[in-house]
Amino acid sequence: MDDTTATPPGALRIDPSHRDVLDQVLDKWSVSILDQLCERPCRFNVLRREIPGITQKSLTATLRRLERNGIVERRVVADRPVAVEYRISDLGKTLREPVDVVLAWVTTHQARIDRARREFDDATEAAGA
Amino acid sequence: MDDTTATPPGALRIDPSHRDVLDQVLDKWSVSILDQLCERPCRFNVLRREIPGITQKSLTATLRRLERNGIVERRVVADRPVAVEYRISDLGKTLREPVDVVLAWVTTHQARIDRARREFDDATEAAGA
DNA sequence: CAGTATCCCTGTCGATACTG
DNA sequence: CAGTATCGACAGGGATACTG
């Protein structure tokens, strides 16, 4: 059945600038940071602790990139012992829904993807052997 | 204000396996291939032509990965002069909507993102100078 | 506390050449 | 036509050390 999944006429096509935005905003660590900052504003080391596996370097780089793209806001709270707070921007809030849609897709289809992978790997191995 | 930015109760959190799927399925070339195959099944060199900038190597690698994840199906059509057809799978069709949601987000907010980038770059440059 | 600076390693990507 | 094989260039990411 060529059901209604069939490509809607107005289907979107990707172009390099789209790619560029996706790379900057949906990369390895951005989604985790987004998750965290959607819950509450956070200081640097809180984010560091809440996101297992991330290094200072990657955290700094990702925060900078998200800040540059207007997704998060950086704000110096105190300066004696320096304190910096990151919070989600209004633009960033709008990103949450699309990301959740994608994550929901992953969750929904994960079992099927895993199965596909196993079958592929088995078939490949069998052929290769 | 500790407003209603407040995470909706059911908000999704990312985990490593989600990350892994996103990397395999929303990477540099996958979306373009998805776009193309959602329109019609294609042969290797047709895809190659339709997707500007992609190399054989990347096309092969991306198609294999998508095939492994059950997103596209590979099918040998003829074998005298070898002909191979790639088509979107049922699972792949379900990926289209989430991807379109993300692309729609990019399209909607691109101007704002561009502006944010310029402002950030200007501010950074001013500070750096 | 919140970074910056450096080194190094690995994976990725493109270009090129070759094959069934 | 549809790939595979190989190589060199390069960016991303981690570990470590240092700083205002």
Side-chain angles (χ1 to χ4, degrees):
Chain A
M1 41 188 93
D2 57 344
D3 52 19
T4 50
T5 328
T7 311
L12 297 169
R13 298 199 113 226
I14 198 169
D15 73 57
S17 66
H18 287 166
R19 231 313 115 208
D20 183 51
V21 172
L22 293 185
D23 286 341
Q24 305 238 340
V25 148
L26 294 184
D27 67 286
K28 186 171 184 190
W29 297 111
S30 291
V31 180
S32 298
I33 292 180
L34 203 66
D35 273 351
Q36 190 59 34
L37 292 186
C38 276
E39 289 187 31
R40 70 188 77 81
C42 283
R43 308 245 308 254
F44 187 85
N45 280 312
V46 174
L47 285 171
R48 189 157 145 57
R49 271 190 298 274
E50 295 286 338
I51 302 172
I54 198 169
T55 61
Q56 302 100 316
K57 185 180 175 180
S58 297
L59 180 54
T60 304
T62 307
L63 284 171
R64 281 281 176 288
R65 192 172 42 243
L66 291 178
E67 189 193 356
R68 185 172 109 93
N69 284 273
I71 306 298
V72 309
E73 287 160 8
R74 191 188 109 112
R75 183 179 147 234
V76 176
V77 171
D79 40 75
R80 263 264 290 102
V82 187
V84 178
E85 189 191 75
Y86 292 92
R87 61 165 60 223
I88 194 83
S89 70
D90 287 342
L91 178 56
K93 288 177 195 167
T94 68
L95 179 54
R96 171 146 208 136
E97 188 221 323
V99 167
D100 275 352
V101 170
V102 172
L103 291 181
W105 181 86
V106 175
T107 301
T108 303
H109 299 285
Q110 188 127 47
R112 191 158 165 190
I113 293 169
D114 286 342
R115 181 155 46 85
R117 288 181 181 179
R118 275 195 302 276
E119 287 171 6
F120 182 91
D121 291 347
D122 288 352
T124 303
E125 204 171 311
Chain B
M1 49 179 95
D2 58 342
D3 55 19
T4 50
T5 330
T7 312
L12 297 169
R13 297 198 113 229
I14 199 170
D15 72 57
S17 65
H18 287 165
R19 233 312 116 208
D20 182 52
V21 172
L22 293 184
D23 287 341
Q24 304 240 339
V25 148
L26 294 184
D27 66 285
K28 186 172 183 188
W29 297 111
S30 290
V31 180
S32 299
I33 293 179
L34 204 66
D35 273 350
Q36 190 59 34
L37 292 187
C38 276
E39 290 186 31
R40 69 188 79 79
C42 283
R43 309 247 304 254
F44 187 86
N45 279 313
V46 173
L47 285 170
R48 188 157 146 59
R49 272 190 298 275
E50 295 286 339
I51 302 173
I54 199 169
T55 60
Q56 302 99 316
K57 185 180 174 180
S58 299
L59 180 54
T60 304
T62 307
L63 284 171
R64 282 284 177 287
R65 190 171 44 242
L66 291 178
E67 190 193 355
R68 185 172 106 94
N69 285 272
I71 306 299
V72 311
E73 287 160 9
R74 191 188 109 112
R75 184 178 146 233
V76 177
V77 172
D79 40 76
R80 263 264 291 103
V82 186
V84 177
E85 189 192 74
Y86 292 91
R87 60 166 60 224
I88 195 83
S89 69
D90 287 340
L91 177 57
K93 287 178 193 166
T94 69
L95 179 54
R96 170 139 210 143
E97 187 221 324
V99 167
D100 275 352
V101 170
V102 171
L103 291 180
W105 180 87
V106 175
T107 301
T108 303
H109 298 286
Q110 187 127 47
R112 193 156 164 194
I113 293 168
D114 287 341
R115 181 156 43 86
R117 287 181 182 179
R118 276 194 302 274
E119 288 171 6
F120 182 93
D121 291 347
D122 289 351
T124 302
E125 207 170 308

